[in-house]
Amino acid sequence: MQRRGMVLVTGGSRGIGAATVRLAAEAGFGVVFTYVSREDAARALVADLVQRGHRAHCIEADVGEPDHIDRLMSSLPQDMGPLVGLVNNAGLTGPLGAFVDTSLETMRRVTAVNVIGTMLLSRYVVAAWLAAGTHGSIVNVSSIAATLGAPGEYVHYAATKGAVESFTIGLAKELAATGIRVNAVSPGTTLTDIHATAGEPGRPQRVASRIPMQRVARPQEIAEAIVWLLEDKASYVTGSVLKVAGGS
Ligand code: NAP
């Protein structure tokens, strides 16, 4: 297997992030990923990958806290080769409900993690690549909610993902001539814990019938698109928002 440089995945301990960590490690990347609370899940994933001969490392860091991002970027391992990819995956919705009931605290927290965290990490990584005269690939994880608006569920969350998509398009154009690529994957409803955290564990089953394919996604189906965008196979792709949403 080809040994590649290092990829940083935020929120890699569970869900879409964990599937991305697995696929990226299996593709030969050294993978560093963050978690916030589930150290058990993060360490179990690292142990499984290392035991199978892959390179993986986890770091606790809340991407909604700028000082955590500073600490994360200064504690990246030195033995996994140069950083060649960033996956801004960590994200949250806040509680499901009508927009009129959404608290300021929820709006601030969801924006801090989904938007500011994505921007700060991207700025760090782009600055490092430009200073070194190298390049790499950034993949931002958006949501089909950016297109659909998520009425009655989490309009504020959909708006943060709209911001992620605009950020992706603009940054990609700004950097295109440097060889740095910036893309987004926009998943449809996927079987992860995010729905239980939002207050409705059965949400995937409830919404499946309104998806053209009549089913929700498995995390690996989203991760396949993310890892493809990281790789040189996607060398002419930048500024794209790839919907992986069963036809939605
Ligand atoms: P998930 O199952 O809830 O997992 C979230 C992951 O992110 C966990 O590893 C969690 O760490 C980590 N995390 C949460 N907040 C964080 C923070 N502030 N800083 C760093 N890491 C943090 O989520 P998911 O469903 O896989 O979602 C991943 C991404 O896909 C998100 O951006 C989400 O908006 C997007 N998305 C999901 C769906 C879906 O239906 N699942 C659909 C469209 C888009 P711990 O394990 O330590 O808690």
Side-chain angles (χ1 to χ4, degrees), residues 25-80:
E26 287 164 4
F29 292 105
V31 186
V32 180
F33 66 91
T34 67
Y35 64 94
V36 266
S37 56
R38 292 291 304 276
E39 184 175 2
D40 55 335
R43 297 217 175 276
L45 180 53
V46 169
D48 180 57
L49 289 168
V50 168
Q51 194 254 329
R52 291 195 290 122
H54 303 304
R55 296 171 297 149
H57 182 76
C58 63
I59 299 175
E60 189 220 320
D62 182 337
V63 302
E65 299 288 343
D67 55 321
H68 286 214
I69 291 183
D70 295 341
R71 181 172 47 77
L72 167 66
M73 296 311 291
S74 62
S75 56
L76 292 179
Q78 302 296 307
D79 58 353
M80 281 198 191

Side-chain angles (χ1 to χ4, degrees), residues 125-134 180:
V125 168
V126 167
W129 284 336
L130 292 177
T134 57
I180 298 171

